Amino acid sequence: MSYEIFQKGAAINSEFEIIPTKLKLLAQGVVTDKNGYMNYEGKTYVTNMVKLKDLPIKLQSLFVEEKTNLQKHDEEAKNIQKVRKQKNKLGDLNTILFEQLQNIVDPEKNVDITQELKKATTVCNVADKIIKIADLAFNAEKLHSRGLPGEKRNIYECR
């Protein structure tokens, strides 16, 4: 019955991504007591309250889901679709640039920073092109609203 209590406690703990099986716990030397607490190398960890960082490194991996390359690829595809669904406004570009900056300044665990920097460089190059096109369109609209040189325009005409 102690493993079932452990499962309930682990489900409450927001730090745990997955709950290991009884077999996985026993294989690492973890025993669950009658309260569902984890006992490992003479220490007791209250399952629903323990922080992942407070667990021994050997046990931390039991509670974190290892993502396969296929899962990572699926996540990247979903992120690309999310970007494509955006309304493609300059405000959206601003959001993307700040997200990319955040990824560089505070990268997630197990992220290759050189890959992030390459991605950021590409995003910035594309952003520069978008901004130049928007600036060109803005200047063209200003010129159009003023009219061609020598053309008489009604000053009350509104666009």
Side-chain angles (χ1 to χ4, degrees), residues 95-108:
T95 302
I96 291 168
L97 290 173
F98 276 106
E99 284 175 359
Q100 193 61 48
L101 179 63
Q102 183 63 35
N103 290 342
I104 294 169
V105 173
D106 188 18
E108 294 178 13

Side-chain angles (χ1 to χ4, degrees), residues 24-76:
K24 282 186 179 180
L25 289 171
L26 290 173
Q28 295 299 324
V30 177
V31 178
T32 54
D33 65 15
K34 65 181 179 179
N35 297 319
Y37 300 162
M38 296 181 287
N39 294 310
Y40 180 73
E41 294 184 348
K43 291 188 179 180
T44 300
Y45 301 94
V46 180
T47 308
N48 62 338
M49 297 178 67
V50 69
K51 301 290 183 197
L52 194 57
K53 65 180 180 177
D54 295 336
L55 288 175
I57 293 173
K58 190 175 178 183
L59 298 183
Q60 288 178 12
S61 62
L62 292 175
F63 296 92
V64 180
E65 183 178 11
E66 289 292 325
K67 294 183 179 175
T68 64
N69 286 335
L70 184 59
Q71 288 171 321
K72 289 177 187 175
H73 177 71
D74 288 346
E75 280 184 11
E76 289 175 7

